Amino acid sequence: MAKVSSKKKLSKTKAKKSSEVAGDSAVKKTEVVYDEEEEEDKEDFNENVTSEEEEEDGEDERRRQKLLEAISALGGKRKKTLGERSEAAVQLSEFSVNAEGEGDKINLSDLIGSMDKTPQVSAKTRKQLKTLQQSNRTVESPLSKQETERIQRDVAFQKAQLVFPLNQEAPGPKPMERVVTGWKARTPLEEEIFALLSANKQPIHDPILTPQEEVSMKAMSLEEAKIRRAELQKARALQSYYEAKTRRERKIKSKKYHRVQNKAKRKDFVKQFEEMVKSDPAAALEELHKMELARMQERMSLKHQNSGKWAKSKAIMAKYDEGARKAMQQQLEVNKDLTQKLVTAVNDEEEEEEEEDEGGDPEVLPDFVNDAEQGVDSSNPWMRGKLSEDPAEKETSEIVDLTAEEESADVEEEEEEEVKETEEEALLREFDSRRKRRQALIPVISLDDDEEEESKTAAEEEEESKTAVEEKEESKEEEESKVAAVEEEEEEEEEEGAALRVYKPLQRNRRDVSSRGLSLAAADTETSSAQLEETLMRIRTLEDTEELLMQEESAADEAPVPPPAAENPPPASQPAGTNKKRKRGIELKQVLTKATKVIQVPLAHTVEDAEDSDDNQEQRGLIREAFAGDDVVSDFLKEKRKQEAAGKPQVVDLTLPGWGEWGGTGLKLSRRKRKKFRMKAAPPPPRKDVSLPGVIISEKRNRSITLHQVNTLPFPFETHTQFESTIRTPLGRTWNTERTVKKISKPKVVTRMGAIIEPMAREELMKDRNQATVADRNSVNSGKRKRRGGGERDVSWRFHVH
Amino acid sequence: MKVKVLSRNPDDYVRETKLDIQRVPRNYDPALHPFEVSREYTRALNATKLDRVFAKPFVASLDGHRDGVNCMAKHTNSLSTLLSGSCDGEVKVWNLTKHECVRTLQAHEGFVRGMIVRFCGTSFFTVGDDKTIKQWKMETPGYGEEEEPLNTILGKTVFTGLDHHQKDAVFATCGQQVDIWDEQRSSPIRSFTWGVDSFSSVRFNPVETELLASCASDRSIVLYDMRESAPLKKVIMTMRSNSLCWNPMEAYYFTSSNEDYNLYTYDMRYLNKPIIVHMDHVSAVLDVDYSPTGKEFVSASFDKTVRIFPKDVGHSREVYHTKRMQHVICVKWSADNKYILSGSDEMNIRLWKANAAEKLGVLAPRERQASNYNQKLKEKFHYHPQIRRIAHHRHLPKSIYHQSKELRVMKEARRRKERNVRKHSKPGSVPVVSEKEKHVVTVVK
C-alpha cells in the first residue's frame, strides 16, 4: 500500500509539472515525451505490483485503469476549443478565426499543388515556384500590424504634406525658353546672335550643353584612358631624365666648362630673342622687361662691384696674384654686362614713338583719341572724353536723390509704379522738406503750463521785436545760426533716412513674421499689449471714456512714479545726435548780445515801393516808440538764466549748530564743519537748450503730458527713432493730397457686405502666382490686380454676390 | 496812383463741368498746418472713444427652438439662410434678414449632432443620436407633401459630427471611427480608426480638399488623407479638444478649441507644438469657426461668452456676452465676414456684428473715407496708453470677471512656484517649458 501511495505522490508531482509547462507549445512537446517515458516506467511498476500481489487483482485493475485514464487525461493532447461568436460583430478579431487542420504544418506543395495542373500558368512562374520550393531559407516573419500601420501612416503623411508655395520653381538660372514662351528674335541684333549661335552649334533650346560638351561629359573609354596614361608616364620619365642631367651638369667643377657653357647659352639666347622679336613681339617684350628688371636690380645692388668681403680680400692680393686680379676684373665685367642698356629693335621703335609724342606732332595722336569723335556732343560727358563729372552737377544730383529718399520714406507703402509727378506733388515735396526744417528749428517742448505761457509770451515778444527792428538789422548772427541750424537739420535728415532704411526691412520682417504667424503670440511678450482690459464697467457715453481715463490717472498717481528721463524715450523731435550738435553749438551770448553789423543794400526804388517803405518806416517808428522801454531779448535771457539757476542742484546743509562747537547767534561755522556737513551735489547733465538761443526747454517731468506719452518702446521697434518716425508722418488730408490719403488709409482687407468669400482655391493660388510671374517678367502693370496687405501672401478674394 | 485789385484766373477755381468736384484751392505749406502729431493724436483719441461708444454688437436673437441649440450650418451660397439643430432633434431653417424661422422639421430622435449643407446648396445632411444620417432637400416641401428625408443611412453606432467635401459628393462622419461616405452608397467607402476612442468633430480642409482632421476623446487631434487607407498623424494634448476649424485661406493652419479653456492654432506640418496658444476664456471652449478671410476666428465657450481672436495673437480682441446667453455651444462666422452667429443652451441663436462698432448699411463715400482714416489713426496711435486703455476696455459680467481674476492669480502662483523650484534646484535640472510646449503630450506617427 505504501508503494501505491508513493505512486500516487509521483503521479501528483507529474501532474504538477505538466500543468506548469502547459503554456508553451515547444516545451510542451518535450514534456509530452517525458510523460511517455514516465508511463513506461509506470507500466514496469505495475507489472511488479501484479507479480507481488495477485489477490487484490480485480480491484487494482480497476484502479489502475482509472489512474491511466487520469494520467492520459493530464498528459495527452488537449484540444482547445476556441470560443466562436455566433452573433454579428462590427469588427472580427483575427484571433477568433480558426480553420480546419489549424495546427498542421503547411507545405508549399499544398498551396501550389494545383499549379501543375492548370495550363494557364506560365513556365516562368512555374520555374520560379520550383526554385522557391527548393530553397530552404525561411521567410522572415512580417512586421506587426501596429508597425506596418505606423509605416503606412508615415508614408501617407509625407505624401499629404503640403509644400508652400505650391508650385515653387527651382532656384537658379533657367533656360530662356522656359522663362519666355513664344519669344522670337525680332531685332536684327538678336537675329544675328541667334544665327551665330546656330552656326556654332550652340544650344538655343533645351539641351544646355553643346554636343562637344556632352561628348566630353561622357566617360573616357578604356583605350583612351590607357593612351592617356602612357603619355603621362612618358612625360614623367622625360622630366626625370632632364632633372638628372641638369644635376649632373651642375656638379661639374670645371670653370672653363661653365664659362663656355654660359657663353654658348648667352649666344643662344640672343639668337632666340632676335627670332622672337620677329615672330612673337609680345613674348619678346616680356623678355625685355625681365632683362630690364635684372638690370635695375643689378644697378641697385653692390653684388658685382667688388665691395664685398671676398672682393676686399682679393684686392689685397691683387698686387701679387694675377688670378685675383682676373677674378676682380671678371666681377666688374659681369656688372658691366648686366647694367648695360639693351638696345633692340623693339625698344628703338618705342623710343622713336616717344620722341615723336614729345615733339607734339599733330598728325600722330594717341590711340584713345580715335575712339570717340571729338567735340561732337559737348553735353555728353562720355563724348567729351572727360573722366569725371562737374562737381556742381554731382552735388545737385545728390540733393535730388536725398529729397527723393525723403519722399519715399514719408509715404508708406509706396508703390513701385512711377506715377508721373504732378505739380502739386512737387510742391508738396518742397513743403515736406520745409516742414522738416521747421521741426528741427522748433523743438517740441514739454512745458509746465505757466512756463509754457511765459515762453509763449517771450516768443511773441521776440517776434514783435523782430518786426520793430529794421530789415537791415536782421542780424548776421541770426543768419549764421540759421545756417548752422540748417546744417544740423540736414544731418538729422540723414539720420532719419538711415533710421527709415533700418525700419523698412524691420517692417518687412514684421509682416513676414505675422504672415507666418510664428512669433506673434509669444504669450509672454505680447500679452500686455494685446490683452483686453476687462472690467465691470460699461462704456455707454463719451463721459464714460473720460471717467475710464480718470480712473487710470488716479491709479497712476497711486502707483510710484518711475524715475523719469533715463528710461523715458526722448520727445519726438529731440535730435538724435545731440552730442555732435553741442560741439558745434552756438553760444547764447554771442548770438543775442553782439552788436549787429549794418549792411547797406542799394535798393532800386520804384514809386510804389517808395510809398510802401514810407509807410513801413512810419509803422516801425511808431512801434519802436511804443516799446521803447522793453528790452525783450534781455528779459528772455534773464528768464532763461533763472531757469538754469533753478535747475542747478542746491547745496544741502546738514550742519547742526552747537555740535562740537559753541552755539549761539552770530557765530561762524568752522571750516571743518562746513567741509564735512555741506553736501554739494554733482552738476547735472547739460541742459537741452544750451545750444538753442531762443528757446527754453523745461526738463521737468510733466504729468499731464506723460499720461499721453508712450513710456516704453513698443515691441517690434528696436530704436526710438524708428517708432518716432512712424508717429511723425501725418496721415490726414490736412497734410497730404487726396490721392495720398486714399492710398495711405486704404484698409488691408476689404470685404463687402453680402458678398460670399469662398475659401482659397488651389487653382487660384496657382493662377495668382502665374499672373505675378508674368507681370514681373514683362513689367506690365496690371491695373486690376491690387495688393492687399503688404507682406501678406498675395490673396485676392473672390466675391459672389447673391 | 495805382489801385490794387484782386485778380484771379478763373481757370484755377471754376470747374469745367457740373459733374466735376468743386475745386478747393489748398495750401499744403506745413507752416500753415502745425502740430500735426498732436492734432492727429486728438483725432485718434476721439475716434477710439466713439468706437467704444458705438460698439453695439448685438443685432438680433432668433428664438423658436424648444431645446438648446446643438449645431448650426451656414448655407453655402445664400447668406440669409441659416440652419440650426437642437437637442430635441428639431432642425430649423432661418431667414436671417427677416429674423424668422422659415421651416421646421423633426429630423432625429435625440440630439441633432451635426449638420452640413452640401456644396451646391440644394440639400443638407444631418446626423443624430438615433444612429442615422439623413439628407434633406433645402427647399420647403410643397403643400400637402410630407417632410421626408431624401436619403437615410442607418449606421451601426452613434454619429457625433459631420462635414462635407468642398466639391465632391463625399462626406465624412465621426463617432466611434471616422467614416468617409459616398453620397450614393449606404456604407462608408473608408473608415479610419486609431485606438478605440470616439471622435467629437471632423472637418475637411477647405483648400486641400482631400485632407481632414478630427478631434478624438483620447485628447488627440488626428489628421487624415481621404485617399489613404490609414490616418496620417496625431497629436495628443493634455486635455481634450472639442472641435476644430481649418483656416480657409492658409491650408496648413487649423485651430482647435480645447477643454483647458484655450484654443490652439497648429501648423499641420509641425504638430509638435502649437504655433499660438489663444487664451482668455474661463471655461471649456466648445466651438470655433474661422472668418472667411482667414484673419480671425470666433470661439464659443461654456463660460457664456463668445470671443474673437486674431489668428496670430494670443489674446482675444473682442468678447461678446449678454445677460441671458447661457453656455454657447456652437458658433459660426458668416460668409461675408460681417456677422457672427452663436447658438446657446437657452434655445436662442444670436446674431452679432463681427466688428462691434461698424456701421451697418450703406456708407457714403465720405463716410467710408472717414472711417478708413479713423481706423488708420487708431492703428497708428495704438501704442499710446490712453488710446489703448479705451480701445481695450471691455465690460464683463461679474462672474466671468472674477473667474478670470482667479485664474490669473492661479496662473501667477503656479509660475511663481515653478520659478522658486527652479531657483532652488540644480541649474538645468528644471527646464523652462514654454506655454506652447506645455500642452502637447506627444505626436504619434
Side-chain angles (χ1 to χ4, degrees):
Chain A
M1 283 306 288
K3 275 177 187 172
V4 172
S5 65
S6 70
K7 230 191 288 171
K8 270 186 183 172
K9 255 185 198 168
L10 218 151
S11 71
K12 260 183 196 170
T13 52
K14 259 186 274 166
K16 238 187 200 171
K17 269 182 189 170
S18 64
S19 66
E20 268 172 20
V21 199
D24 204 321
S25 64
V27 187
K28 202 176 179 179
K29 252 186 188 171
T30 56
E31 191 59 31
V32 167
V33 171
Y34 164 76
D35 271 358
E36 276 165 10
E37 281 171 8
E38 284 286 307
E39 262 173 81
E40 280 170 16
D41 281 356
K42 259 172 259 154
E43 268 167 5
D44 292 346
F45 233 53
N46 284 338
E47 277 169 17
N48 288 345
V49 169
T50 44
S51 65
E52 280 179 14
E53 299 172 40
E54 283 183 10
E55 343 55 288
E56 296 174 354
D57 200 31
E59 208 187 352
D60 279 350
E61 190 64 26
R62 196 169 49 84
R63 279 179 181 170
R64 183 175 155 267
Q65 208 63 38
K66 227 180 178 177
L67 188 69
L68 280 176
E69 268 174 29
I71 288 165
S72 67
L74 282 170
K77 284 174 194 166
R78 245 193 302 173
K79 281 221 166 159
K80 262 187 211 163
T81 48
L82 287 162
E84 258 181 61
R85 286 179 66 165
S86 53
E87 81 254 36
V90 182
Q91 286 158 337
L92 274 178
S93 164
E94 59 184 322
F95 303 113
S96 65
V97 179
N98 50 349
E100 285 284 319
E102 194 188 11
D104 298 340
K105 202 182 175 189
I106 299 165
N107 286 322
L108 190 61
S109 56
D110 294 339
L111 295 172
I112 57 167
S114 59
M115 282 288 188
D116 295 330
K117 288 154 204 166
T118 45
Q120 286 92 343
V121 182
S122 65
K124 199 181 168 190
T125 45
R126 256 178 219 167
K127 209 175 172 185
Q128 278 177 342
L129 283 169
K130 240 173 216 173
T131 50
L132 192 69
Q133 220 165 351
Q134 277 160 6
S135 71
N136 250 341
R137 197 164 47 85
T138 49
V139 183
E140 276 177 41
S141 62
L143 286 173
S144 69
K145 195 186 169 192
Q146 283 79 9
E147 227 151 295
T148 44
E149 269 182 357
R150 169 185 253 188
I151 290 166
Q152 277 175 357
R153 280 196 297 263
D154 219 22
V155 169
F157 184 72
Q158 299 296 336
K159 239 194 277 176
Q161 205 165 41
L162 306 176
V163 179
F164 285 91
L166 289 169
N167 49 354
Q168 191 169 29
E169 284 177 24
K174 288 166 216 100
M176 164 115 68
E177 68 280 352
R178 219 174 290 161
V179 180
V180 189
T181 49
W183 184 82
K184 270 177 194 169
R186 272 181 213 137
T187 61
L189 179 68
E190 283 168 354
E191 272 165 12
E192 203 177 317
I193 288 167
F194 270 79
L196 264 175
L197 284 177
S198 56
N200 294 333
K201 289 181 183 172
Q202 290 295 319
I204 301 164
H205 288 293
D206 211 358
I208 300 163
L209 299 172
T210 56
Q212 289 91 342
E213 278 170 335
E214 264 175 15
V215 166
S216 71
M217 287 286 279
K218 281 175 192 164
M220 262 188 252
S221 68
L222 187 63
E223 271 112 87
E224 275 176 323
K226 273 181 181 167
I227 291 164
R228 177 105 183 97
R229 192 157 140 260
E231 274 173 8
L232 283 174
Q233 269 177 343
K234 199 183 170 189
R236 236 173 285 138
L238 281 175
Q239 198 183 352
S240 68
Y241 295 156
Y242 179 74
E243 274 169 13
K245 194 185 161 199
T246 45
R247 219 171 289 139
R248 239 183 295 122
E249 279 174 356
R250 224 181 21 211
K251 272 189 181 168
I252 294 171
K253 282 182 178 169
S254 159
K255 280 182 181 171
K256 194 169 186 187
Y257 168 80
H258 280 295
R259 210 176 299 143
V260 171
Q261 275 283 316
N262 280 341
K263 215 170 197 179
K265 260 185 194 169
R266 223 172 294 145
K267 238 182 208 173
D268 237 31
F269 176 73
V270 169
K271 216 185 243 172
Q272 265 185 9
F273 185 73
E274 240 126 66
E275 270 172 39
M276 217 190 260
V277 167
K278 279 166 198 164
S279 61
D280 190 1
L285 245 174
E286 209 162 283
E287 207 57 46
L288 212 69
H289 278 303
K290 259 187 213 167
M291 277 191 257
E292 191 71 5
L293 209 72
R295 188 177 152 249
M296 272 184 212
Q297 270 166 354
E298 181 56 33
R299 273 156 61 94
M300 280 195 296
S301 77
L302 300 169
K303 204 175 177 187
H304 300 113
Q305 293 184 356
N306 289 345
S307 57
K309 216 175 178 181
W310 172 84
K312 274 172 190 165
S313 69
K314 286 277 167 198
I316 294 165
M317 300 294 292
K319 246 184 191 175
Y320 319 104
D321 188 4
E322 202 170 335
R325 224 179 297 151
K326 235 181 192 174
M328 286 181 72
Q329 209 63 39
Q330 250 174 6
Q331 284 279 315
L332 286 173
E333 223 153 276
V334 168
N335 183 28
K336 203 179 161 194
D337 272 4
L338 280 169
T339 50
Q340 203 176 28
K341 202 173 186 184
L342 281 169
V343 182
T344 55
V346 181
N347 219 1
D348 284 353
E349 278 169 31
E350 276 182 359
E351 272 177 335
E352 274 169 20
E353 263 185 26
E354 273 174 20
E355 277 168 15
E356 278 165 1
D357 282 356
E358 279 161 16
D361 197 334
E363 283 169 354
V364 187
L365 287 166
D367 275 1
F368 71 86
V369 177
N370 297 330
D371 291 346
E373 284 177 314
Q374 234 177 356
V376 172
D377 192 352
S378 62
S379 65
N380 191 343
W382 296 101
M383 300 303 271
R384 267 180 290 159
K386 266 188 187 174
L387 291 174
S388 59
E389 283 178 15
D390 272 3
E393 256 181 50
K394 209 174 174 182
E395 267 179 23
T396 51
S397 70
E398 267 176 14
I399 288 162
V400 168
D401 279 358
L402 249 176
T403 48
E405 244 177 44
E406 283 165 23
E407 249 285 287
S408 64
D410 252 40
V411 181
E412 277 186 68
E413 296 176 19
E414 184 82 348
E415 288 183 22
E416 291 90 343
E417 43 182 302
E418 269 294 318
V419 185
K420 203 184 169 189
E421 281 193 359
T422 55
E423 253 180 40
E424 204 175 42
E425 267 167 321
L427 254 177
L428 260 187
R429 195 200 291 161
E430 192 196 316
F431 287 149
D432 198 63
S433 61
R434 271 221 242 160
R435 184 196 301 145
K436 284 218 170 118
R437 205 169 306 151
R438 188 169 51 78
Q439 274 177 347
L441 284 169
I442 306 170
V444 175
I445 310 155
S446 70
L447 288 164
D448 290 340
D449 286 2
D450 52 341
E451 281 175 358
E452 201 175 332
E453 273 180 9
E454 280 172 7
S455 75
K456 253 188 196 169
T457 50
E460 277 163 17
E461 281 164 4
E462 203 182 14
E463 284 276 315
E464 282 164 7
S465 75
K466 260 190 201 169
T467 49
V469 179
E470 283 183 17
E471 270 186 352
K472 290 164 197 170
E473 284 177 17
E474 275 200 351
S475 59
K476 195 183 172 188
E477 276 77 7
E478 262 189 19
E479 273 177 14
E480 271 175 15
S481 76
K482 257 186 196 167
V483 168
V486 167
E487 274 173 15
E488 281 175 12
E489 160 249 313
E490 269 173 12
E491 213 178 82
E492 202 178 4
E493 273 171 8
E494 272 176 25
E495 278 161 11
E496 269 174 27
L500 282 176
R501 257 170 269 139
V502 171
Y503 176 64
K504 280 217 165 155
L506 185 87
Q507 257 187 333
R508 214 173 302 132
N509 279 345
R510 190 183 162 201
R511 281 199 212 112
D512 282 354
V513 164
S514 71
S515 68
R516 276 189 225 128
L518 281 173
S519 81
L520 274 159
D524 318 34
T525 54
E526 268 229 312
T527 41
S528 57
S529 66
Q531 206 159 0
L532 296 177
E533 299 195 28
E534 288 152 348
T535 58
L536 298 173
M537 200 189 121
R538 264 181 212 275
I539 295 180
R540 288 205 178 83
T541 57
L542 278 174
E543 284 72 50
D544 288 345
T545 60
E546 300 289 350
E547 208 169 297
L548 197 76
L549 295 178
M550 291 297 283
Q551 278 181 6
E552 186 82 338
E553 244 169 84
S554 63
D557 282 357
E558 282 160 26
V561 179
E567 279 106 25
N568 282 6
S573 66
Q574 190 211 326
T578 39
N579 294 348
K580 268 190 209 166
K581 260 154 246 167
R582 211 162 286 134
K583 278 175 202 162
R584 299 200 286 112
I586 308 147
E587 276 305 303
L588 192 57
K589 282 167 198 167
Q590 278 183 359
V591 174
L592 287 179
T593 51
K594 244 186 193 172
T596 52
K597 215 188 203 176
V598 180
I599 305 164
Q600 294 290 342
V601 183
L603 289 171
H605 288 282
T606 56
V607 182
E608 284 175 35
D609 277 354
E611 278 178 7
D612 270 4
S613 63
D614 279 356
D615 284 353
N616 271 346
Q617 273 173 3
E618 274 174 34
Q619 192 84 15
R620 277 174 201 146
L622 270 174
I623 290 167
R624 219 183 304 161
E625 251 175 66
F627 294 98
D630 308 355
D631 189 359
V632 188
V633 176
S634 60
D635 278 359
F636 180 77
L637 276 180
K638 261 182 216 162
E639 178 64 31
K640 187 160 184 176
R641 248 170 247 141
K642 217 163 92 185
Q643 291 271 342
E644 274 169 15
K648 271 176 193 160
Q650 304 291 320
V651 176
V652 185
D653 196 356
L654 295 175
T655 49
L656 290 172
W659 280 88
E661 286 172 342
W662 287 106
T665 50
L667 283 171
K668 264 195 175 178
L669 281 171
S670 75
R671 208 185 195 188
R672 186 190 63 84
K673 221 175 172 185
R674 234 182 293 151
K675 238 185 191 174
K676 203 168 185 184
F677 292 106
R678 288 182 62 167
M679 307 296 201
K680 267 186 191 170
R687 287 175 66 92
K688 282 169 189 167
D689 54 8
V690 166
S691 57
L692 300 167
V695 182
I696 301 172
I697 299 176
S698 161
E699 285 172 2
K700 277 182 199 158
R701 182 186 157 87
N702 191 340
R703 188 176 286 155
S704 66
I705 292 168
T706 47
L707 274 177
H708 293 271
Q709 281 173 333
V710 182
N711 51 15
T712 49
L713 192 65
F715 160 58
F717 300 102
E718 278 164 355
T719 59
H720 299 307
T721 43
Q722 285 170 5
F723 177 61
E724 282 154 14
S725 67
T726 59
I727 294 299
R728 205 178 296 145
T729 337
L731 307 173
R733 63 188 72 250
T734 323
W735 300 275
N736 296 305
T737 56
E738 202 69 14
R739 195 187 291 175
T740 325
V741 171
K742 257 187 191 170
K743 211 199 289 176
I744 292 171
S745 63
K746 200 174 186 182
K748 277 182 183 171
V749 179
V750 184
T751 54
R752 270 192 299 146
M753 188 172 282
I756 290 179
I757 303 164
E758 304 255 316
M760 175 71 60
R762 237 190 129 127
E763 302 83 53
E764 201 143 347
L765 273 175
M766 307 276 211
K767 195 176 70 193
D768 220 40
R769 227 185 118 68
N770 289 341
Q771 271 181 7
T773 47
V774 166
D776 285 347
R777 252 182 248 137
N778 306 345
S779 71
V780 171
N781 183 17
S782 58
K784 283 169 196 168
R785 283 179 65 254
K786 275 168 197 163
R787 243 159 230 264
R788 290 191 187 77
E792 245 83 31
R793 208 182 54 224
D794 204 312
V795 169
S796 56
W797 315 123
R798 282 189 297 173
F799 295 112
H800 300 288
V801 184
H802 294 269
Chain B
M1 188 183 139
K2 194 182 170 186
V3 179
K4 284 187 221 168
V5 186
L6 276 179
S7 75
R8 285 183 188 150
N9 185 1
D11 285 349
D12 291 339
Y13 56 91
V14 175
R15 52 183 177 170
E16 284 171 4
T17 67
K18 248 186 178 177
L19 299 172
D20 279 357
I21 310 163
Q22 287 284 7
R23 279 193 181 178
V24 184
R26 290 285 317 274
N27 192 346
Y28 286 103
D29 186 352
L32 300 176
H33 309 288
F35 303 117
E36 58 265 16
V37 176
S38 26
R39 281 164 79 184
E40 288 215 315
Y41 174 77
T42 317
R43 285 181 199 175
L45 193 61
N46 286 339
T48 321
K49 283 178 184 173
L50 286 177
D51 222 29
R52 286 331 300 157
V53 172
F54 290 132
K56 306 270 183 246
F58 181 67
V59 180
S61 164
L62 313 173
D63 60 331
H65 274 299
R66 282 169 294 182
D67 207 334
V69 182
N70 196 46
C71 58
M72 288 194 296
K74 288 183 275 189
H75 198 283
T76 41
N77 44 27
S78 161
L79 275 173
S80 60
T81 311
L82 176 80
L83 293 92
S84 63
S86 72
C87 297
D88 59 354
E90 207 175 46
V91 168
K92 275 179 184 287
V93 182
W94 302 89
N95 186 330
L96 289 176
T97 43
K98 292 178 184 167
H99 303 172
E100 65 181 19
C101 175
V102 289
R103 184 181 168 199
T104 309
L105 47 111
Q106 188 64 38
H108 295 279
E109 286 163 22
F111 283 45
V112 182
R113 288 287 176 185
M115 190 155 49
I116 191 77
V117 180
R118 203 171 178 274
F119 57 91
C120 59
T122 52
S123 62
F124 63 93
F125 295 85
T126 56
V127 290
D129 270 355
D130 52 0
K131 302 184 188 175
T132 54
I133 306 167
K134 289 181 182 173
Q135 186 181 10
W136 306 82
K137 250 190 191 168
M138 191 58 84
E139 281 173 22
T140 319
Y143 181 74
E145 273 181 63
E146 283 273 312
E147 187 82 78
E148 267 188 347
L150 281 175
N151 196 5
T152 307
I153 300 167
L154 273 169
K156 284 168 191 147
T157 53
V158 175
F159 299 107
T160 53
L162 173 75
D163 198 17
H164 201 284
H165 191 273
Q166 203 65 33
K167 44 192 183 253
D168 291 346
V170 173
F171 63 92
T173 60
C174 62
Q176 272 191 11
Q177 74 264 1
V178 171
D179 291 322
I180 311 287
W181 303 76
D182 193 329
E183 279 178 15
Q184 306 302 319
R185 300 191 188 182
S186 59
S187 58
I189 53 174
R190 190 147 281 166
S191 55
F192 300 106
T193 48
W194 194 342
V196 286
D197 291 282
S198 60
F199 296 88
S200 61
S201 150
V202 64
R203 294 298 276 271
F204 269 105
N205 188 328
V207 183
E208 275 300 311
T209 47
E210 259 62 40
L211 293 177
L212 56 160
S214 69
C215 303
S217 61
D218 67 340
R219 303 168 294 148
S220 68
I221 299 167
V222 192
L223 297 179
Y224 310 90
D225 190 334
M226 216 175 79
R227 298 158 292 196
E228 302 289 338
S229 58
L232 302 180
K233 220 171 207 186
K234 82 172 163 185
V235 54
I236 299 175
M237 305 179 68
T238 47
M239 294 271 258
R240 187 167 69 97
S241 293
N242 284 315
S243 68
L244 60 82
C245 188
W246 292 90
N247 188 328
M249 287 296 157
E250 285 161 301
Y252 36 89
Y253 291 142
F254 65 85
T255 301
S256 69
S257 59
N258 204 292
E259 284 281 318
D260 62 2
Y261 313 173
N262 297 337
L263 292 112
Y264 300 95
T265 298
Y266 278 99
D267 188 329
M268 67 158 273
R269 298 164 295 179
Y270 316 105
L271 289 175
N272 51 350
K273 68 173 183 183
I275 290 166
I276 295 153
V277 183
H278 308 272
M279 338 192 216
D280 263 356
H281 280 297
V282 292
S283 188
V285 191
L286 299 181
D287 199 12
V288 58
D289 193 33
Y290 259 95
S291 84
T293 58
K295 300 255 174 221
E296 291 174 322
F297 60 83
V298 61
S299 64
S301 167
F302 199 74
D303 64 8
K304 306 176 187 177
T305 59
V306 171
R307 277 180 191 268
I308 300 172
F309 293 84
K311 68 156 196 219
D312 42 18
V313 175
H315 288 275
S316 59
R317 75 155 171 85
E318 198 65 81
V319 53
Y320 292 162
H321 55 84
T322 67
K323 240 178 198 170
R324 297 181 184 183
M325 187 161 73
Q326 294 302 309
H327 315 302
V328 193
I329 295 171
C330 51
V331 73
K332 290 278 176 221
W333 199 307
S334 79
D336 65 346
N337 195 32
K338 297 286 178 195
Y339 295 100
I340 284 164
L341 294 140
S342 67
S344 44
D345 240 3
E346 87 307 330
M347 307 181 246
N348 279 327
I349 296 165
R350 288 193 168 76
L351 184 63
W352 310 86
K353 285 193 275 185
N355 285 318
E358 197 181 33
K359 190 194 167 191
L360 295 179
V362 185
L363 284 179
R366 289 181 61 183
E367 224 174 342
R368 179 173 299 117
Q369 274 172 26
S371 81
N372 283 352
Y373 175 51
N374 283 341
Q375 206 61 41
K376 270 280 139 69
L377 281 182
K378 274 183 273 171
E379 222 168 87
K380 181 181 165 186
F381 288 101
H382 79 287
Y383 295 114
H384 289 249
Q386 298 267 353
I387 287 179
R388 202 179 55 206
R389 179 72 189 89
I390 298 170
H392 286 190
H393 176 85
R394 295 290 179 283
H395 163 248
L396 267 193
K398 215 175 192 174
S399 61
I400 301 171
Y401 175 72
H402 287 302
Q403 206 169 346
S404 61
K405 218 164 143 190
E406 201 181 314
L407 281 174
R408 211 158 40 232
V409 171
M410 283 160 71
K411 202 175 157 194
E412 182 48 44
R414 240 174 273 142
R415 198 161 64 200
R416 194 172 54 236
K417 179 168 186 185
E418 201 181 313
R419 202 172 53 222
N420 288 341
V421 167
R422 191 170 302 121
K423 213 186 281 170
H424 291 101
S425 50
K426 197 177 145 196
S429 60
V430 185
V432 184
V433 183
S434 73
E435 187 67 34
K436 290 176 196 170
E437 286 161 340
K438 233 178 248 176
H439 303 282
V440 176
V441 175
T442 180
V443 178
V444 188
K445 281 183 182 172

